[in-house]
């Protein structure tokens, strides 16, 4: 998690359905109390604070990035989410929303973190998350070619510890005791992905089959969920 930095636009356009942060931003009400896990350099914390008028607390593993993010957070904890108990650092029933943008897949125990978040949310509060789709057509094609190549970023970011399809992601949310409020795919054409070079080796019938699958070009999913009562 500390070595991965996603490229993000300087300004977030909430009409952009191809940007996971834009889809997450739509779920956050103005003036909310927000806990952001994995704030990185604070690009989204700044949007939440300056544009939406939210009070933002955060957690970040990388101390260097945390220093950049600190101006946009009311409180910022430098810590490993796999090694702390959030209730030891943040007040119970304090947040309208918890944001996990490209975070849970980096953890050894995402289910444990989801369980901890229940006690930090106000009644009616929600968790909003984005997670890569391991069943993305480009990744499937790479596997069919016998390759499983870790990279500095993307679906096979070398710091990813967990991998999800839509089905396994929804199963995790359900088993963690959450009701799903909505799921939105973030579509990315293969030509714009890290797998673009595979297209030259893809025979047309196979290409047609892969791209006809549901969510074949879903690079990520954005989900909102609420603890089950």
């Amino acid at each position: 998690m500390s070595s991965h930095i996603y490229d993000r636009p300087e300004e977030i356009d909430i009409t952009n359905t191809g940007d996971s942060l834009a889809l997450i931003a739509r779920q956050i009400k103005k003036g909310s109390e927000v806990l952001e896990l994995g704030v990185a350099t604070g690009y989204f914390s700044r949007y939440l604070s300056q544009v939406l008028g939210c009070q933002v607390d955060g957690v970040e593993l990388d101390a260097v990035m945390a220093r950049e993010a600190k101006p946009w957070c009311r409180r910022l904890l430098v810590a490993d989410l796999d090694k702390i108990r959030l209730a030891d650092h943040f007040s119970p029933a304090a947040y309208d929303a918890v944001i996990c943008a490209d975070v849970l897949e980096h953890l050894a125990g995402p289910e444990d973190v989801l369980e901890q978040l229940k006690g930090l949310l106000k009644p009616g509060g929600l968790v909003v998350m984005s997670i890569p789709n391991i069943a993305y057509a480009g990744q499937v094609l790479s596997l069919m070619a016998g390759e499983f190549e870790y990279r500095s970023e993307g679906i096979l970011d070398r710091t990813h510890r967990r991998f999800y399809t839509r089905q396994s992601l929804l199963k995790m949310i359900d088993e963690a005791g959450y009701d799903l409020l909505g799921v939105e795919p973030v579509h990315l054409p293969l030509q714009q992905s890290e797998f673009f070079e595979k297209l030259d080796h893809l025979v047309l019938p196979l290409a047609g089959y892969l791209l006809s699958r549901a969510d074949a070009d879903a690079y990520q999913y954005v989900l909102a969920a609420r603890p089950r009562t």
Side-chain angles (χ1 to χ4, degrees):
M1 196 159 74
S2 62
S3 62
H4 184 98
I5 303 175
Y6 287 89
D7 291 329
R8 296 296 189 186
E10 291 186 6
E11 301 297 332
I12 294 173
D13 176 7
I14 63 171
T15 67
N16 182 4
T17 59
D19 178 18
S20 59
L21 287 185
L23 295 178
I24 291 173
R26 295 184 189 184
Q27 304 286 336
I28 308 301
K29 295 180 180 179
K30 290 185 177 181
S32 293
E33 298 277 339
V34 176
L35 176 62
E36 184 183 1
L37 304 185
V39 301
T41 57
Y43 42 78
F44 197 44
S45 304
R46 181 181 60 152
Y47 177 86
L48 293 169
S49 177
Q50 289 193 326
V51 178
L52 296 185
C54 297
Q55 292 291 333
V56 183
D57 294 337
V59 181
E60 173 54 45
L61 176 63
D62 190 302
V64 174
M65 289 197 289
R67 282 197 291 272
E68 291 189 54
K70 190 172 182 179
W72 316 113
C73 296
R74 175 177 59 187
R75 183 178 179 210
L76 181 53
L77 176 68
V78 178
D80 185 338
L81 289 167
D82 277 321
K83 296 180 180 179
I84 63 167
R85 303 301 299 178
L86 290 165
D88 293 338
H89 303 277
F90 300 99
S91 300
Y95 299 101
D96 300 294
V98 178
I99 295 172
C100 307
D102 304 319
V103 167
L104 295 180
E105 66 272 17
H106 296 270
L107 304 179
E111 300 89 350
D112 180 56
V113 170
L114 288 172
E115 180 64 32
Q116 293 180 55
L117 295 182
K118 295 176 184 177
L120 302 181
L121 288 167
K122 296 178 182 179
L126 67 159
V127 177
V128 188
M129 64 196 79
S130 58
I131 295 183
N133 174 28
I134 193 66
Y136 179 70
Q139 180 62 65
V140 173
L141 175 60
S142 185
L143 287 171
M144 292 178 69
E147 299 176 5
F148 197 83
E149 180 183 353
Y150 283 97
R151 303 168 186 264
S152 60
E153 61 181 1
I155 292 176
L156 287 188
D157 180 322
R158 60 177 54 91
T159 65
H160 287 177
R161 304 179 72 173
R162 303 289 289 270
F163 299 97
Y164 297 95
T165 63
R166 176 193 277 261
Q167 182 176 342
S168 65
L169 179 54
L170 298 186
K171 181 180 179 182
M172 178 181 71
I173 297 300
D174 179 63
E175 292 181 348
Y178 285 79
D179 289 327
L180 183 68
L181 302 178
V183 54
E184 294 185 82
V186 180
H187 298 288
L188 182 69
L190 265 65
Q191 293 89 342
Q192 297 177 25
S193 77
E194 64 266 35
F195 306 103
F196 71 94
E197 72 276 5
K198 302 298 178 189
L199 292 175
D200 292 339
H201 306 290
L202 185 61
V203 297
L204 290 179
L206 182 56
Y209 169 73
L210 285 177
L211 295 175
S212 69
R213 294 164 51 249
D215 286 354
D217 65 344
Y219 194 81
Q220 293 172 287
Y221 294 109
V222 172
L223 299 93
R226 181 173 289 138
R228 190 173 299 131
T229 56

